[in-house]
Amino acid sequence: MSIPGPGGQGLQLTPFRGLRYVAERVGSLAAVTSPPYDVVVRPEGLRELETADPYNIVRLILPQAGTPEARHRQAAETLRRWQADGVLAPDPEPALYVYEQRDGPALQRGLIGALRLSPREEGIVLPHEEVMPHVVEDRADLMRATAAHLEPLLLAYRGNGNGNGTSGNEPNELSGSGAAGPGTGGAARVIERTILREPLLSTTTEDGVDHHLWRVTNPADLVAVSTDLRHHQALIADGHHRWATYLRLREERREPGPWDFGLVLLVDTARYPLRVRAIHRLLRRLPPEEALPAVRRAFRVRTVDGPLPRALETLAEAAEAARAEPGAPNTFLLAGSGRFHLLDRPDPELLARTVPDGRPETWRTLDATVLHHTLLDHLWNVPDTPEHIGYLHDPTAAVEQAERLGGTVVLMHPVREDVVHELARQGIAMPHKSTSFGPKPATGLVLRSLTLG
């Protein structure tokens, strides 16, 4: 995604003094990392991270205390104590960071830096999902208390392939050195030169993913990155609530300063394509015996065989088949009480009455749109509040929680990436938690303290 015309501001990624764990003060770098805050949803997962190392980053991103105010105050005090004790220390000079993730044959590389914040109307950073105000408020309170960006957002942009305007053929694999050809754009050249050096840190997390981080401080390299990125715009792949939080906190301050920038990981998806996965809905207080009779009036409902992996394969097959058939393509998998039910072929008259007009057809036929407006609002009357709905990335965790609570989980099929980009370019926001792009950066490898600039 490039900014059209000459003179566009585009992406402005600036160096910063990274705040990082001192390896000698922790059990291991892997033991202090965490998935992003909104992926850590199971209580047992939180406890596992907290006990992995007394300095695990989860104590900052998801502090545990009796009230929100106490949680945020605790995180701020913990961050100050860790810095005073030398557990976390700032790098000696501002830098951009090359970040690499290797998961078997898959490889992703990108640049971590402080990105100049810009509202949607500037067309530089494109959100594609709506946000939930209570989540933004919580993240804002945490950022105010800690005066830090504790985990980078994931932003996707499309470089020029081999950098000369023709289609690139940069493989997303581990063969060879990965060195870029002579035509590759400035940011790509800097990344590929940097990875030939010894990493600043390397670790392998419990999921088997290898993480490597390099520092970029050479003035010529920084200029090359800046010159390249200013011609591009980016899509928020992961972190809509944190981006909205960045913008809110910037608006609270009249003077220019470090709050004008936000911590991000920028990935060129022309070289390293992202994966798109679904986010599932846990309906904590809606048992299947109440959910199913209501939907039978508006959808075709079929019982499908488990276990969960087999049921998810059935959902994927049904979703692909529905796209080729006339009518609405919406397909859902309901789980609860040890059984799975496939929902498809919604009543077109009901969709016409319940899905809002005035939006593109692509938006009106999204599974998330139909789920929220037709199922949750109309058929089930389930409020979109944390006590009623949980948003989970892991289908296994979602089903386990539904069984434990006696609730229902709606398992979703991923949205196609081209649909996300199409709506984002039109300025149309999808319902919140419609997509999960990845691989997501590990939290805890590099933080940004706003007191350091």
Side-chain angles (χ1 to χ4, degrees), residues 339-411:
R339 305 181 73 184
F340 300 97
H341 295 87
L342 186 70
L343 277 59
D344 63 359
R345 298 186 182 178
D347 177 4
E349 293 185 2
L350 177 64
L351 295 185
R353 292 199 313 270
T354 56
V355 175
D357 290 326
R359 300 284 185 94
E361 188 65 15
T362 303
W363 180 89
R364 299 185 79 251
T365 56
L366 286 170
D367 284 344
T369 300
V370 171
L371 171 61
H372 281 265
H373 290 280
T374 302
L375 286 166
L376 296 176
D377 291 350
H378 182 75
L379 295 176
W380 289 331
N381 295 310
V382 175
D384 194 357
T385 58
E387 58 267 26
H388 286 274
I389 302 179
Y391 294 85
L392 288 85
H393 295 72
D394 182 356
T396 301
V399 173
E400 288 175 354
Q401 290 201 36
E403 297 293 342
R404 184 168 63 248
L405 297 172
T408 301
V409 62
V410 183
L411 299 167

Side-chain angles (χ1 to χ4, degrees), residues 36-38 58 60-63 71-72 132-146 148-151 240-246 248-249 259:
Y37 80 97
D38 58 338
V58 78
L60 299 181
I61 62 172
L62 289 173
R71 290 197 297 271
H72 304 138
M132 295 177 281
H134 73 276
V135 177
V136 175
E137 188 59 44
D138 178 74
R139 291 294 102 182
D141 289 341
L142 179 63
M143 285 187 199
R144 287 190 199 97
T146 59
H149 295 158
L150 303 173
E151 45 189 337
H240 283 81
H241 290 89
R242 282 166 285 164
W243 182 260
T245 301
Y246 288 168
R248 173 182 293 191
L249 296 180
W259 295 88

Side-chain angles (χ1 to χ4, degrees), residues 80 96 101 118 140 226 234 270 303 372 399 406 418:
R80 284 193 293 269
L96 297 179
Q101 295 164 276
S118 58
S226 176
T303 302
H372 281 265
V399 173
D418 62 308

